[in-house]
Amino acid sequence: MVDILPEDTPLWQSMETAALEVLSSYGYEEVRLPIIESTDLFARSIGEVTDIVEKEMYTFADRNDDSMTLRPEGTAGCVRAVVQHNLAVTPQRLWYMGPMFRYERPQKGRQRQFHQLGVEAFGVSSPDQDAELIALCRQFWRRLGVDDALQLEINTIGSAADRACYRDALVGYLSQHVDQLDEDSQRRLDSNPLRILDSKNSDTQQILDNAPVLQDYIDDDTRAEFEQLLAYLNALGIEYVVNPRLVRGLDYYNKTVFEWTTEHLGAQSTVCGGGRYDTLVETFGGKSTPAAGFAVGLERLTLLMQALDITVSPAADLYVITANEAAFRHSLPRLDGLRRRFPELDIVQHLGGGSFKSQFKRADKSGAAWALVYGEAEVAAEQVTLKPLRADAEQKTIADTELEVFLEEVLNDAQSA
Ligand code: ATP
Ligand code: MG
């Protein structure tokens, strides 16, 4: 579990704000979902033999001895809510953001509590929906300035029936080469053979070079839909790599699957993953409803922003210094008025008194752009002094009444920076 400290929260907040703006610009609406669900919800949707359900869930018995789980991902809970509240009678575009929990070996970009932005769209089976989701991702990357650092990989994995046929063929082939497979893949041969396609082991990869390919087992309609999706991506100017071995780790996907990956984050290279899950709503007792979605790993996205030197300053605009008790009292209603007039401006007041020298030291350390000074002379003359701490400008003393005009300029500068 990781603390996100004040030095990093500005980056998180700017990312969250960008997400909110992009999502609402496409008409997606927020849902807020519980962090704890009954265990069986995840077992049924994610799949009994997946990494998540086999070894990564935080599961416990509550006081009534019901088995509960801290959510390892958001789609299951979102689909439960959609069915429970009958949300998918008309197409629904939904999103949520929050912590997820998986018992994994912690490393850079891999935590036991991490955060995802999840986006889910219900009710549209055609690939225009898939294209919209992918376009929305790119818009988000652009807003953050990371679009050049992310590549889209995409594939179609057909229907569950297609995959069952393929699974038999794949197991038939791999069974002849068991000895050459890595340990994980040997284990998966019985439980979840498609995951072997994901193996990073080079010997296993070599065996896979001659394995049957999933594409040959997918029906013509599904393939035509995939071609249509690719045509939409071309129209949008979104570059992609069709990766025939991309299968994703969760059982509920069908047809389109995709991932956005980066070369800047080492082994934890996938920042976003998603796809279509047309049967999940029905699995949860709802009316058959096509659906598609994706999840962004927000830790990995912030790591990527940091790797690209994208910074967001937490520093205030003004640090307020007062000469003495009387000056402090004099400043109170004035600052109160400024905060009401300029809600976007960050005004930090020095508290606890002290000499001018020590207050200026703090002001400097705070990283604020300006010190706003109420000295004895200023108070008597209804003036303030503005001393630049970071800004490239001259110190000046102005009438209280001119302060608002000055702050409007500060705000303009801050916004254009
Ligand atoms: P991986 O193969 O890296 O374990 P995954 O397939 O398990 O990823 P998903 O379940 O698809 O991941 O989750 C979507 C995204 O959430 C991932 O692409 C990643 O960015 C992020 N994510 C998943 N697990 C973690 C984790 N333990 N810590 C941080 N981010 C994570
Ligand atoms: Mg994982």
Side-chain angles (χ1 to χ4, degrees):
M1 313 296 172
V2 172
D3 299 311
I4 302 173
L5 298 175
E7 59 180 327
D8 290 326
T9 45
L11 194 67
W12 279 81
Q13 287 165 354
S14 76
M15 178 176 69
E16 287 157 5
T17 305
L20 207 150
E21 283 173 9
V22 171
L23 286 157
S24 45
S25 79
Y26 279 85
Y28 285 72
E29 297 176 297
E30 186 183 8
V31 279
R32 301 196 180 193
L33 304 161
I35 284 171
I36 302 176
E37 299 267 4
S38 68
T39 303
D40 139 79
L41 180 82
F42 301 112
R44 269 198 296 157
S45 58
I46 298 169
E48 294 277 4
V49 290
T50 55
D51 282 352
I52 294 181
V53 173
E54 269 186 342
K55 51 187 188 194
E56 295 177 359
M57 293 206 302
Y58 280 90
T59 296
F60 61 97
D62 70 7
R63 286 171 188 276
N64 192 36
D65 244 359
D66 290 322
S67 181
M68 309 300 290
T69 293
L70 296 180
R71 65 181 184 192
E73 57 98 57
T75 304
C78 186
V79 171
R80 177 202 49 69
V82 161
V83 171
Q84 185 174 334
H85 305 287
N86 211 11
L87 296 183
V89 280
T90 54
Q92 280 285 340
R93 295 174 162 102
L94 302 175
W95 68 271
Y96 48 83
M97 208 181 312
M100 307 292 162
F101 303 84
R102 296 184 193 178
Y103 192 83
E104 302 205 62
R105 195 167 68 79
Q107 51 201 293
K108 188 174 162 226
R110 193 174 293 285
Q111 297 169 190
R112 292 181 173 175
Q113 175 172 342
F114 62 101
H115 297 78
Q116 284 185 340
L117 162 67
V119 179
E120 320 281 0
F122 297 89
V124 180
S125 63
S126 43
D128 47 356
Q129 180 65 76
D130 311 39
E132 178 178 274
L133 289 168
I134 291 169
L136 193 160
C137 287
R138 189 202 26 188
Q139 208 66 264
F140 185 32
W141 312 146
R142 275 181 177 155
R143 194 74 69 100
L144 298 175
V146 299
D147 47 320
D148 287 342
L150 285 166
Q151 291 86 41
L152 174 63
E153 291 185 31
I154 190 164
N155 190 24
T156 178
I157 58 172
S159 66
D162 296 339
R163 283 203 304 287
C165 294
Y166 173 64
R167 189 189 149 115
D168 292 344
L170 184 67
V171 172
Y173 168 81
L174 291 177
S175 302
Q176 297 160 23
H177 304 275
V178 188
D179 298 344
Q180 289 142 283
L181 298 177
D182 62 275
E183 217 176 293
D184 257 354
S185 297
Q186 289 181 356
R187 199 171 48 81
R188 283 176 169 149
L189 195 54
D190 289 324
S191 58
N192 198 349
L194 261 60
R195 268 326 284 280
I196 298 175
L197 300 179
D198 266 349
S199 170
K200 307 274 189 292
N201 181 284
S202 58
D203 293 338
T204 303
Q205 284 284 340
Q206 234 173 8
I207 300 297
L208 286 170
D209 284 341
N210 296 315
V213 286
L214 177 55
Q215 301 313 303
D216 297 338
Y217 292 77
I218 291 171
D219 68 65
D220 291 345
D221 286 349
T222 301
R223 276 211 279 208
E225 279 175 352
F226 189 57
E227 289 304 320
Q228 205 177 355
L229 170 58
L230 298 183
Y232 293 148
L233 296 181
N234 291 337
L236 282 157
I238 296 177
E239 285 174 34
Y240 53 81
V241 175
V242 176
N243 174 359
R245 288 192 191 162
L246 182 66
V247 289
R248 313 239 341 107
L250 299 84
D251 272 2
Y252 51 63
Y253 286 114
N254 68 301
K255 293 187 177 171
T256 312
V257 292
F258 63 89
E259 286 186 354
W260 292 89
T261 60
T262 178
E263 283 159 9
H264 294 266
L265 297 183
Q268 271 57 256
S269 60
T270 307
V271 169
C272 169
R276 206 160 249 297
Y277 52 92
D278 293 323
T279 55
L280 195 56
V281 175
E282 212 174 347
T283 306
F284 283 173
K287 199 169 124 272
S288 169
T289 305
F294 64 81
V296 182
L298 297 180
E299 275 75 10
R300 292 186 195 176
L301 192 53
T302 55
L303 285 170
L304 177 58
M305 290 168 79
Q306 282 161 347
L308 298 174
D309 286 328
I310 297 169
T311 52
V312 179
S313 166
D317 301 299
L318 299 177
Y319 192 95
V320 184
I321 290 174
T322 48
N324 50 34
E325 161 71 17
F328 178 77
R329 218 174 320 122
H330 171 89
S331 76
L332 282 178
R334 288 167 175 78
L335 296 181
D336 206 47
L338 289 181
R339 290 198 171 103
R340 187 195 291 205
R341 168 79 177 74
F342 298 103
E344 319 91 302
L345 215 55
D346 300 337
I347 304 173
V348 173
Q349 179 156 37
H350 181 88
L351 301 177
S355 68
F356 256 175
K357 192 170 165 221
S358 67
Q359 293 193 48
F360 268 113
K361 239 191 200 158
R362 278 276 201 92
D364 236 353
K365 241 179 130 180
S366 80
W370 292 87
L372 176 61
V373 188
Y374 290 92
E376 271 179 82
E378 283 90 345
V379 171
E382 302 253 320
Q383 292 178 325
V384 290
T385 292
L386 287 147
K387 183 177 186 231
L389 300 171
R390 295 283 177 287
D392 183 20
E394 305 237 311
Q395 174 167 331
K396 55 180 146 192
T397 300
I398 58 175
D400 267 358
T401 48
E402 291 168 43
L403 188 54
E404 291 204 357
V405 176
F406 172 81
L407 290 179
E408 253 160 42
E409 282 168 26
V410 171
L411 207 59
N412 283 340
D413 289 352
Q415 275 161 0
S416 60

